[in-house]
Amino acid sequence: MTAYLLSLIIFVPLFGALIILAIPSAAIRSIKYLAIAITFLQIILAGFIYSVYEKGPDAPAGVHIEAAYQLQEKAPWINLDLGSLGTLSIEYFVAVDGISITMVLLAAIVMFIGAISSLQIQVKVKGYFFLYLLLSGTVMGCFLALDFFLFYLFFEFMLLPMYFLIGLWGGPRREYASIKFFLYTLAGSIFILIAMISLYISVIDPAATAVQAGLIDHVQEATSENIIQLQQMMRENKIDAGNMVHTFNMVSMADSANFIPGSLLDVLNQKLIFGNAARLWVFLALFIGFAIKLPAVPLHTWLPDAHVEAPTPVSVVLAGILLKIGAYGIIRTAFSIFPEGAVHYSWLIGFLGILSIIYGGFNALAMRDLKKLIAYSSVAHMGFVLLGLASGTAEGISGAIYQMFSHGIIASMLFLIAGVLYERTHNRMIEDYSGLATKMPYFTIVVVIAFFASLGLPGFSGFIAEFLIFLGAFNAANVNQLLPRWMAIVATLGLILGAAYYLWTLQRMFFGKYFGKDAAWDTLLRDLRPIEYVMFLPLIILTLFLGLFPQFFLDLVNQSVGQLVTLINQTGKENLELILRHISL
Amino acid sequence: MIFVNLSATIAPSVHLLFISLLILVLPLVSALAIVVIGSKKVSSWLGTMMMTATFLLTVYVFLKLWGVGDLHQQWNWFTLDSNTYRYSFKIGLLADQLSLLLLLVVSLISLLVHLYSVVYMKQEEGLVRYYAVLGFFTFSMLGIVLADNLLIIFIFWELVGFSSYLLVGFWHKKEEAAKAAKKGFIINRIGDAGFLVGIMILWSVFGTLDLPELRTMMGNSFISGGNWVSYLPLKASFLQIEIPALWLTLAGLGLFCGTVGKSAQFPLQIWLPDAMQGPTPVSALIHAATMVAAGVYLLARVFVLLNTDSLTVIAFVGAATAFMAAIAAVSQYDIKKVLAYSTISQLGFMVMGIGVGAYDAAIFHLITHAFFKACLFLTAGSVIYAIHRLEQTTQEVYPHIHWATQDLRLMGGLRKKLPYTFTCFAVAAAAIAGLPGFSGFLSKDAILTGAMAWSSSPDFTGNWWLNLVLLLGFAAAILTVIYMFRLMVLTFFGEMRLPLVYQVVTEKMSALREVPLLMLLPPAILAACSIGVVFSLNPFQGAQSWVMQGLAIPLRKTPGLPVSLQTNLAIGVEDWHSTVSWMSIGIFIGGLAIAWRFYHPGGRYASRYHLALEPQGFMNKLSFHHWYLDQFYTGILARAAVQFALLTAWMDQQFIDRILHFTAKAYVVFAHILHWFERSIVDGIIKLTAYLSSVLGRLLGSIQGGRIQSYFIISLLGILLLILWRIF
Amino acid sequence: MPDVSQMQGLTNKLAEITASVSSFLPEISLAVSIIIILIYDLITHKRQRQYLLLFALVALLLTGYLTSLQWLSASRGAEEFLFNDMLVLDKASIFAKFVFLVAGILTILMSWPDRAHKPMLSIPGEQVILLVGLVLGTFLLCMSVNLLMVYLALELISLCSYILCTMNGDKPGSEAGLKFILFGAVSSAFMLYGMSLFYGFTGSLHINDPSFVAGLETIHWLPLTVAGLLVISGFLFKIAAFPFQVWAPDVYQGSPTPIVAFFSVAPKIAGLFILIRFTNAYSFVDLATYWQEILAAVAILSMTVGNFAAIRQKNAKRMLAYSSIAHGGFLLCGLVTFTDFGLSALLFYAAIYVLMNFAAFLIVMLLEGKTHSLEMDTFKGLGLKFPVLGVLTIVAMIALTGLPPTAGFTAKFLIFSSIWAAYASSAKPILLYLLIFGLFNTVISLAYYLKIPYLLFFKESAVTMVSDRKDYLKNILLVFLIIPIILLFFKSEWLLYIINSITFVFQKVHK
């Protein structure tokens, strides 16, 4: 069972999607319950993964060491002969480390909550849940894939269900929003595609190449000595190009010894592209590609539109999971493969982070549509992730991953809140309501909790995340000189803005005398229904739990973050020194 | 959670530790229980009983530890851990002499407010919510007091702000209450952002937020070549940290920002008057006695980490706040507003006290102020309650009559109707005004002595402008006497002015009577605590009070501090003590004389006060509008922020998105151009050639075809272009 | 004696020709079928036209069988020169023949009349004959190594095409046909002139002949370039690449859909083949860089012009015409790298392109069958009415865009990989530009490929009159086109394995 856990969590929903195809579209209830059951099954599988995952200080932690990934599943998939270039090997390679396991847990939870929220879908139910489950599987695949090709497949494939979910079940401007979403993210993934191509052409799989070169008979026999020997031989040009096995394995890519000497992405390569090292360009390509998904200002304008038009559960999934794929991609590919880029461009990344925090915050302050406000607050909160990552410090990166999880939960809550109102009145304009606390007291309690959780009140998960990010971002100036101190200080403005737009909204919409723009709302605005409690309660409990017991989460990520920090601060700096020496020559 | 160490100053006593934890947790349990039970009847009594238990436990711990030693215990909360680093974030409980005092004050006043609210809030719909949040507030406040590190302090600090938000906005249907709650929280957040920066600086230099550890490490750090140098312990080695010395000052000022927000100091003091929108017992507990004092408490906690520059700033800010608020308190109509400004002013005193190094005096003032200000608020609450009762009785006959129950213009002469309330109020007023024999005299005198010693310290010779602090302090002290006297006269002396405005009330005046016993008891206890002998047997010597005797001024370790400063200050305090005492008495008498001159009972001012309109004249307006600070913030800053937000939103849609749209449109336009090019230029040439060839064709007898010939021309051109490109 | 030696030579030549015949069986089979169909058409009643299609199908299948025999007997890298070095038979050309056969078979299946369906063409016999003739032309073109043979093959294709596209008999068809003919004639003239120059330079028409190559080495680069460009213009005409793309939209719009599908695929690939062989000749004289830059520019312009022009189209076939211009550009990219890898990528792309382009035209046919219009606006809401067709459309469009999980992605992926690999080893900036433009064009192309699924699913149906005729055959055919498109993504090595067994003529000197 454990051997195939990861595949199960990816393919169970895909299989479920096929079953849904087989159910007649009139059987709406069975379709809905099946989808919920399958997402629940995904939670159980995620729970299994969590329980099997080795935690603690000595646990293998992945990142750039392949052996240190857990629950590995590896199977050859595509092997292409590229003639004089050697061969190309694409594998079905999934595994977890501390960073991805948190995302898998998050995705399972949010998908389940989203499925419950999808009960309100009334039209084209079959198609909806088919796409929803499709999305569910691909999202998991994205977080688990360690083969770049596989990752890219899932990453791209995610676009389609999302496009149709927004475009078919969305609001009035859904077509515009869905196309914008699609084109934007496709533009991003083109950057990732070019990075992927340039990477696999430069990188070999040392074990498989050792087999080709006759060092060993079988890949399984490869020891670390063999690999080092092979890498040494390759450095000395003793390996024939035709014998090289190019790989998409992201972990192999993270080892600069696996880069073919003289290839453009070799650390020692001296050829420049437009005055900059190829490695740095490719880092930027990856970063931009994922920054669109994240989204970082100024690449964010698809987000408000997509969110406003998407139906509630899709917004939940979009904010809860899909944005995290952007951040996850930056960690998994850009930072792990090109740590020198993380060092070289830390200023830029940090700057985009604080730009997102402040720009997103101010925009949220100006919004009149509740959902748009929440969308911009997402931009601001994901800005914290960038800031934390840019710092390259233990606190900053731990905080960034914490924020990814925390924002996943809190943003889900926030979009559900917007959904509750929209479902009742089909109106989300802040100024059209007042004094909702009188009408819907329990809903107001949920809103207060969610808003305060989002603005980073201690006790909720967001506080731990943002606190760590602040410490890390400021500390970077002392530890590794990646960020200037003023960035962390300026970012604290985000805290004030967060308080401002949330509390202003609370005051305008929920407090004061009751007022609804339409008299008919009097009867429509009823307090939460049981099914809505079922959605909110787990999220509230989770954000409180993570706010009070951070160690639970940190036990998972600590070792991986430690490796990533070392990777950035040692390998990254060494590589950068080598590269910059060439540039200056 | 893991036990890290058991490093208590006294022999580790598990049962004291347990009781201390119980003190912290009981109010939270109370809050949760109230929410779970959800019954109005139960909540008030459950809350009060739990608070009683908390208070009794506090007394027990206090008696066990006061003058004996500190209790300190740490647990690991969470750790960032890997092969190369290990950052621990701990939860710690520190019950030292300072926190013991605060513990006592907080739990006592909270208990009294719980008790008082049983009657005062009886009619309220949201009573469950009220008691739950009150319990939660007490929990958070005790958390601040008991925490041993800055992270935990910060956490409870924010929670206190959150509970304040909920309590100020208790009457959420009231627009003003909702706005005041929002304003309070946002402005506190501004301060907290600064606090966070302070924490970041200390973390980056010392790698810990533990106060005892910070104290040690601050002592080991030093200034060298304009840099602040420290050694940060890593897992196996030390990392030398070197950052510009300015950050030392900024760290102090950052932490002070927290105080500025929470203790309503200049320039963030504007939220406190608005916070009076909350129920009056809440004002007594949170916005007079405890939460706002937390800022001062924080300064005391981090006192050892503050350097000279930041302390000087703190002293100035405190003095300025004290003076500004005292001015504002002189001309308010609203009884609670007067008390609110008075609170700001007194907080300014305390902050000034810390700034001048009179640590013990500031804390002493914090405590005395907590009692007499809580008393003032509760008695003011009683007045409001009584007048509200009168209003309700009147409304039974005249339902259309409404008046502002807190408006001083309608009060007067209540001494006769509310004799017990008046007595309590008078005692507390005497204390705040600094009548010798009352607690306020002792503590204020001690602060002024400290300020005197500071400004005349040989370490600061030549810095004449330090005397400005002293001057502002004295001025504020005189103003305190004046506004308190005015408040007394307008509320309790003379004749009641309400019947002058609403004649019909006369027939219902019998409804105006003393409040129930349960509402009298808490102010009475607080009034008793405002008498000088409770603290010190010597009515002129605050320094001999048990509070100041029990609190030693901690030795400051900040690099760059003049070595002799603290000794000189101590000597200065000794030298100046009797002089300042006489001056304080003089201030009181002088203030009284001025106040009498303007406001004496039965005088024109008081008897015609119901006619008072918006204040006229620049000074009066300045006072009434509190230096126009609020107008500046809401009118200029907040509006600017919103305008900027609108600008960014505009930018987002009109600029960033426009670029995108522009690109998209450019695609289409380009597509159109291509199309146009094909249709007009290509086809145009074709048509032209067609025309020409039809002419030619007529000549040569050929038909059609011309169009195609021009296709050929186009392609020929294309090929020629390619050739030309290759050639050049 | 001279007579004897001449006789000897003649005998040798005759012997060679007879020897060559055995390697010429597929072509012969095609030629014979043409004759049989012609006779059958003459002697039978018009109503039995499906039998004509059946005949052609059998002929193509037979040819396929013969071709696969050739494939099996051909060894890696072996080249067989036929008919006095007029033609070359190597694995590459056999592969190309398969592609053409598949295209031909698909065309016939697409033209297969449905029950109660108006016939596609009024003169099916001739249509079928010409189609087989076209296949024969492409067969010959991909094998040609002699400029004269190239010309003949090209003209065979052209002539068949001209007639096929005008055969509709309606006005736009004939006008488009006329344009096509005259335009084709001009480009042929260019080409012929260029060829004559080459003959003048080298005294040989055989592009793989050492003397041809040696002759080129002595010529000044300017006349060489001019002559080369003139020759290439004929090939570019067949590929419909810039600046010879002008005819395509009109012709595509005016011609019957199955024929268009064939036009958009087979002559294009045949043209690419001869372009490869021709530029190969230049690679000896170190002029490859010249061709690289020129062809890269042509590729970039074709992609860009095709994609941009496609954005604003409202007619589905016209849009696909521009799309095929853009794809021509992408195909050229593989050639421009001048590496084995690039050519493998090109072949892969070509094979996949056949599948997805036929799928796209088939979809257009099916949709046209529903609404009796080619205006895309009339397709609104059809996806919800016919979900299976809708989903298949999505897959086809995604494949044309080049997104996973379709082989269209793999094809683009290989093309981009080959460009990057070539750039990485040669660091020629033009390759980087090619890559950037290629990627950029991929994004742009999404905008219009997405339009059809967008209209199918997101828009409410505007036309109420939707014929619900069941085109079972075409639906099944579509499914069978889509399956390999997806399958070859997951197992691209199956196709690439075949392609890799071809050692391309590159860098290979003929003695």
Side-chain angles (χ1 to χ4, degrees), chain C residues 221-254:
Chain C
W221 61 269
L222 180 58
L224 206 55
T225 309
V226 172
L229 276 171
L230 287 173
V231 172
I232 279 179
S233 55
F235 309 152
L236 294 181
F237 170 74
K238 281 280 148 268
I239 304 170
F242 184 90
F244 292 90
Q245 85 289 11
V246 198
W247 58 273
D250 288 336
V251 170
Y252 280 36
Q253 197 180 358

Side-chain angles (χ1 to χ4, degrees), chain B residues 438-555:
Chain B
F438 290 89
S439 61
F441 176 82
L442 295 172
S443 52
K444 209 186 292 180
D445 177 50
I447 289 180
L448 289 174
T449 314
M452 198 65 140
W454 175 71
S455 63
S456 59
S457 160
D459 299 293
F460 299 131
T461 323
N463 296 344
W464 57 267
W465 39 273
L466 294 182
N467 285 312
L468 200 59
V469 169
L470 202 59
L471 203 64
L472 287 170
F474 277 115
I478 292 178
L479 284 165
T480 311
V481 184
I482 296 173
Y483 67 70
M484 277 323 293
F485 185 82
R486 171 178 172 273
L487 182 62
M488 284 276 285
V489 169
L490 288 179
T491 319
F492 290 104
F493 289 91
E495 288 301 320
M496 192 164 190
R497 290 174 294 273
L498 184 59
L500 301 178
V501 183
Y502 301 100
Q503 269 86 9
V504 290
V505 178
T506 333
E507 43 190 274
K508 293 285 168 188
M509 277 309 263
S510 58
L512 189 64
R513 57 174 192 273
E514 187 57 273
V515 293
L517 183 67
L518 217 51
M519 280 175 65
L520 275 176
L521 188 64
I525 293 172
L526 290 168
C529 292
S530 307
I531 295 168
V533 284
V534 173
F535 294 98
S536 163
L537 293 173
N538 182 343
F540 299 109
Q541 257 289 29
Q544 284 179 12
S545 67
W546 58 268
V547 173
M548 286 180 71
Q549 291 288 317
L551 275 180
I553 301 185
L555 203 58

Side-chain angles (χ1 to χ4, degrees), chain A residues 26-313:
Chain A
I28 289 176
R29 289 173 74 89
S30 21
I31 290 174
K32 285 180 176 175
Y33 292 131
L34 179 70
I36 290 176
I38 285 168
T39 47
F40 187 69
L41 185 60
Q42 237 181 334
I43 288 197
I44 292 176
L45 288 171
F48 265 121
I49 294 174
Y50 173 77
S51 62
V52 181
Y53 186 80
E54 223 179 296
K55 297 167 273 276
D58 300 317
V63 185
H64 64 291
I65 300 166
E66 187 170 328
Y69 278 89
Q70 300 190 23
L71 295 172
Q72 296 196 13
E73 287 171 44
K74 208 172 191 181
W77 176 17
I78 301 174
N79 283 296
L80 294 182
D81 185 357
L82 304 182
S84 59
L85 223 59
T87 50
L88 147 66
S89 127
I90 299 171
E91 283 168 323
Y92 174 77
F93 181 21
V94 288
V96 278
D97 68 350
I99 297 162
S100 48
I101 191 169
T102 59
M103 293 296 111
V104 168
L105 292 173
L106 174 72
I109 293 162
V110 173
M111 274 298 172
F112 176 62
I113 302 286
I116 296 178
S117 165
S118 305
L119 285 175
Q120 52 168 294
I121 297 290
Q122 303 296 345
V123 290
K124 303 167 221 161
V125 174
K126 185 172 167 178
Y128 178 89
F129 282 97
F130 170 72
L131 291 171
Y132 189 86
L133 289 181
L134 218 56
L135 186 66
S136 184
T138 48
V139 160
M140 285 293 174
C142 236
F143 286 130
L144 290 172
L146 283 182
D147 186 279
F148 211 143
F149 194 87
L150 188 64
F151 173 85
Y152 190 79
L153 164 66
F154 286 126
F155 183 81
E156 281 282 89
F157 193 70
M158 219 160 42
L159 289 180
L160 279 177
M162 210 62 202
Y163 171 68
F164 284 105
L165 284 173
I166 297 174
L168 281 177
W169 288 271
R173 290 175 74 229
R174 54 177 182 261
E175 292 152 12
Y176 169 76
S178 56
I179 287 188
K180 195 169 175 184
F181 166 79
F182 205 145
L183 278 175
Y184 237 116
T185 26
L186 182 76
S189 54
I190 286 294
F191 283 100
I192 299 166
L193 176 65
I194 176 69
M196 177 172 97
I197 288 173
S198 53
L199 269 168
Y200 92 83
I201 286 179
S202 301
V203 177
I204 58 146
D205 179 346
T209 309
V211 175
Q212 292 285 317
L215 281 184
I216 45 175
D217 293 330
H218 204 270
V219 180
Q220 269 82 22
E221 296 166 15
T223 59
S224 50
E225 290 90 60
N226 292 143
I227 291 189
I228 291 168
Q229 187 193 355
L230 181 105
Q231 288 167 343
Q232 186 61 35
M233 282 168 72
M234 187 167 72
R235 279 270 154 240
E236 292 158 5
N237 278 327
K238 283 184 187 157
I239 307 276
D240 181 33
N243 278 339
M244 288 183 182
V245 180
H246 295 259
T247 182
F248 279 89
N249 187 328
M250 293 187 196
V251 192
S252 298
M253 289 172 180
D255 183 356
S256 51
N258 286 335
F259 283 76
I260 300 165
S263 67
L264 271 180
L265 295 188
D266 182 20
V267 180
L268 297 172
N269 167 49
Q270 307 192 6
K271 279 177 256 172
L272 302 180
I273 304 176
F274 299 125
N276 204 354
R279 277 181 79 89
L280 294 178
W281 277 122
V282 176
F283 172 86
L284 273 186
L286 284 172
F287 177 74
I288 292 170
F290 288 113
I292 288 177
K293 197 96 191 168
L294 188 74
V297 174
L299 306 170
H300 67 286
T301 56
W302 63 270
L303 183 91
D305 286 305
H307 267 310
V308 167
E309 300 309 327
T312 305

Side-chain angles (χ1 to χ4, degrees), chain A residues 57 176 180 184 297-298 300-302 304-305 359 362-363 365-367 372 376 394-395 398 434 437-438 448 452 455-459 463-464 467-468 470-472 474-475 478-479 485 488-489 492-493 495-496 499-500 503-504 506-507 510-513 547-551 554 558-559 561-563 565-566 570, chain B residues 1 76-85 87 89 151 154-156 158-159 162 165-166 169 172-175 178-179 181-182 185-186 189-194 196-197 199-205 209 232 239-244 247 640-642 644-653 656-657 660-661:
Chain A
Y176 169 76
K180 195 169 175 184
Y184 237 116
V297 174
H300 67 286
T301 56
W302 63 270
D305 286 305
Y359 186 84
F362 269 111
N363 260 296
L365 197 58
M367 286 304 126
K372 238 178 178 167
Y376 276 107
E395 306 96 310
S398 304
S434 173
T438 325
V448 168
F452 274 90
L455 64 79
L457 189 74
F463 170 75
I464 305 283
F467 184 75
L468 287 174
F470 278 121
L471 290 190
F474 192 84
N475 210 7
N478 283 353
V479 180
R485 292 192 179 88
I489 295 177
T492 59
L493 188 56
L495 291 182
I496 300 166
L503 297 193
W504 197 23
L506 268 182
Q507 178 229 315
F510 291 87
F511 300 149
K513 282 200 179 54
L548 297 175
F549 306 103
Q551 193 65 51
L554 291 170
N558 261 345
Q559 296 307 312
V561 170
Q563 288 193 22
V565 169
T566 317
Q570 284 178 11
Chain B
M1 289 184 204
N76 209 3
W77 186 21
F78 61 93
T79 319
L80 304 180
D81 195 2
S82 92
N83 302 329
T84 47
Y85 56 80
Y87 301 115
F89 295 84
L151 169 59
F154 186 79
I155 286 174
F156 283 109
E158 292 260 300
L159 292 182
F162 175 59
Y165 172 80
L166 294 177
H172 57 76
K173 283 176 213 169
K174 232 166 80 186
E175 189 91 358
K179 280 189 176 160
K182 171 194 74 180
F185 194 89
I186 293 175
R189 264 263 153 148
I190 299 175
D192 294 353
L196 191 60
V197 173
I199 290 178
M200 294 189 298
I201 299 171
L202 291 175
W203 172 265
S204 77
V205 175
L209 296 173
L232 201 100
L239 178 69
Q240 184 183 334
I241 304 281
E242 225 174 290
I243 71 174
W247 289 102
V642 172
F644 184 72
L646 291 174
L647 177 75
T648 54
W650 176 85
M651 231 174 83
D652 211 49
Q653 274 143 34
I656 299 193
D657 223 22
L660 186 79
H661 284 172

